[in-house]
Amino acid sequence: MALLHCGFTSSRVISTLYALHYGQPAWMVGVILSTYAAIPALISIHVGKFIDKIGVRIPITVSFLMISAACLMPILFPYEQFGFWPIIVTSLLAGTGFVFTLISGQGLIGHLSNNKNRTTAFTYQSIAFSISGSTGPVVAGYLIDHGSYYWAFGGALTFALLGDGIFLFQARALPSAFNKSQAKDNRHHSAFELFKDEKVRNVLLASAFVSMAWDLQAFMIPVYGTEIGLDAVAIGWLLSTFSICTFAVRVFMPILSQIFKEWSIIIFVMISAGLTYIVFPFTTSLTLLFLLCGWLGASLGASQPNVLSLLHQVTPDGRVGEAIGIRTMLMNASHAILPLLFGFGGSVIGAASAFWATGALMVGGGAKIGYSVRNMRDPAEKLVEDKAIEQEENIDFKKMTNNPVVIARGNINKVITYGYFSVE
């Protein structure tokens, strides 16, 4: 899964730099990144239900074939002879192919884990994605600067081949299908009914905001870096720094999750990332850009394990696959629409506008969701809380009743009370 992700992220970085190299404007880069997510935004829910029925073997094989074909397109059809359309095909194939891997992996982890170890399991998945996300851009940058764009696409293809080879060795041990008992029932529910549940809605909205912030760094850092004169290696290292820091924070996530609640981490992530984006356009120093990318990676990197864990906790039984599908759909809708907005906005009024707009939305969204979560209490949680308070009060009462002064006062009160009633 991580190696296929590496091939996917490599192709996305290479495609954006490839477009800029041949003089394409920022809005065209936005079109490229949007096509990576256009079809996944439409099919994610159906892919989730499909994977629930048949398991992950066929979907991951389909994913490998599509990502491999995507990496081969620019090599077989170079820009000098065929123009820019092979890159559009590459983005469509790679984006559509990877959605099968993404939903398969998340469904498999949720299926094989339980409530006690699910957060840790998703943390390991996030760590693997951090490693692949940091490796892909750096390898791509070196292959571009010391070879060519075609060598870079060949490197992305190699990652996909390695991932498929490892998958084939363990494919037989994987479950043939998920949630067989729920498959028929899921057909009678609209996935969007889950939005009526305030808890599910808050998790999905938080996930969408984080996805938007993630999109901005993947799209605008190459554009902004090119704008201020950075070479491909420097841009690759900035993107890699982001991923390295997502890896670092996820290593410590099992410890952090024991100290902070999931919602506390997610709200901090949103506000912290928003403030970072507001500051980002004010610097052209490579050192400061590395620091900002690192902090941004640490902030956003903490979100995914907590979002996925919360999503499994708050989603009604038998509808987790739908919830994952909706989350993936929202993510890909963000991937499809926002790069166009960023691209056109960057072309018309400058790159800073995209950073500031996203920063303001993240801070405002984090404050709004935080207010909603604070005022939303689960009856079960309230019952547990009330029982804990009652137990503490009982303990305090026992301590008081064992106190000689309290006993004496109690006896006096009894005398006064019984004497008063006896007079009556």
Side-chain angles (χ1 to χ4, degrees), residues 67 112 147 180 193 217 221 314:
I67 292 174
L112 297 178
K180 289 182 179 179
E193 290 177 5
Q217 63 84 28
I221 287 176
V314 302

Side-chain angles (χ1 to χ4, degrees), residues 32-265:
I32 293 170
L33 292 180
S34 294
T35 54
Y36 268 93
I39 295 178
L42 299 175
I43 67 172
S44 293
I45 296 175
H46 300 290
V47 169
K49 293 181 178 181
F50 178 66
I51 290 170
D52 280 342
K53 296 177 184 178
I54 68 168
V56 300
R57 300 172 189 170
I58 294 175
I60 291 183
T61 301
V62 170
S63 177
F64 156 72
L65 293 173
M66 296 185 75
I67 292 174
S68 299
C71 295
L72 281 171
M73 285 297 297
I75 299 174
L76 299 177
F77 304 97
Y79 183 88
E80 291 80 5
Q81 297 178 20
F82 296 92
F84 202 67
W85 71 265
I87 291 295
I88 300 297
V89 176
T90 290
S91 58
L92 286 170
L93 287 172
T96 304
F98 185 68
V99 76
F100 286 90
T101 294
L102 182 64
I103 298 178
S104 294
Q106 291 177 355
L108 183 62
I109 290 170
H111 182 76
L112 297 178
S113 60
N114 53 51
N115 289 334
K116 294 182 179 179
N117 61 17
R118 188 168 287 123
T119 301
T120 302
F122 281 121
T123 297
Y124 290 147
Q125 180 221 350
S126 301
I127 289 172
F129 274 10
S130 296
I131 295 172
S132 61
S134 62
T135 302
V138 171
V139 172
Y142 278 107
L143 288 173
I144 291 169
D145 282 354
H146 298 284
S148 67
Y149 284 94
Y150 307 114
W151 278 99
F153 279 114
L157 174 62
T158 302
F159 284 126
L161 291 171
L162 289 172
D164 187 63
I166 293 173
F167 169 73
L168 290 175
F169 279 109
Q170 55 186 5
R172 291 184 179 179
L174 299 177
S176 59
F178 299 152
N179 301 327
K180 289 182 179 179
S181 62
Q182 300 290 343
K184 293 183 180 179
D185 184 61
N186 284 342
R187 297 178 185 177
H188 300 291
H189 295 286
S190 169
F192 294 98
E193 290 177 5
L194 290 172
F195 272 104
K196 296 179 181 178
D197 188 318
E198 187 177 7
K199 296 178 184 178
V200 177
R201 184 170 65 247
N202 281 334
V203 177
L204 293 173
L205 289 176
S207 178
F209 275 112
V210 171
S211 178
M212 175 183 66
W214 208 291
D215 284 341
L216 182 65
Q217 63 84 28
F219 170 62
M220 289 304 297
I221 287 176
V223 172
Y224 185 69
T226 302
E227 186 177 296
I228 63 175
L230 300 181
D231 59 19
V233 170
I235 293 171
W237 271 111
L238 285 174
L239 295 171
S240 182
T241 299
F242 174 89
S243 295
I244 289 169
C245 290
T246 65
F247 168 79
V249 75
R250 286 166 180 174
V251 169
F252 294 101
M253 188 52 59
I255 299 174
L256 294 174
S257 63
Q258 298 297 321
I259 302 173
F260 303 103
K261 294 182 179 179
E262 289 98 336
W263 272 122
S264 299
I265 294 174

Side-chain angles (χ1 to χ4, degrees), residues 295-316:
W295 178 252
L296 190 64
S299 297
L300 296 178
S303 64
Q304 188 182 29
N306 292 284
V307 165
L308 292 171
S309 177
L310 276 173
L311 195 60
H312 279 79
Q313 291 177 31
V314 302
T315 302

Side-chain angles (χ1 to χ4, degrees), residues 252-300:
F252 294 101
M253 188 52 59
I255 299 174
L256 294 174
S257 63
Q258 298 297 321
I259 302 173
F260 303 103
K261 294 182 179 179
E262 289 98 336
W263 272 122
S264 299
I265 294 174
I266 291 171
I267 293 166
F268 171 80
V269 162
M270 294 178 66
I271 295 176
S272 173
L275 294 174
T276 303
Y277 276 137
I278 291 172
V279 173
F280 207 94
F282 290 106
T283 181
T284 57
S285 166
L286 186 60
T287 301
L288 290 177
L289 289 175
F290 273 118
L291 291 175
L292 289 174
C293 286
W295 178 252
L296 190 64
S299 297
L300 296 178

Side-chain angles (χ1 to χ4, degrees), residues 333-398:
S334 169
H335 299 335
I337 296 171
L338 292 178
L340 290 174
L341 297 179
F342 295 152
F344 283 110
S347 298
V348 175
I349 56 179
S353 62
F355 288 107
W356 291 333
T358 303
L361 286 172
M362 290 292 289
V363 172
K368 179 67 174 68
I369 291 175
Y371 178 80
S372 175
V373 170
R374 187 183 65 179
N375 290 280
M376 179 184 61
R377 298 185 63 190
D378 186 351
E381 292 177 357
K382 186 177 185 303
L383 180 61
V384 172
E385 204 172 291
D386 291 342
K387 286 183 178 179
I389 294 172
E390 185 179 348
Q391 289 177 355
E392 290 179 2
E393 290 177 348
N394 289 335
I395 292 172
D396 292 339
F397 177 77
K398 289 179 180 179

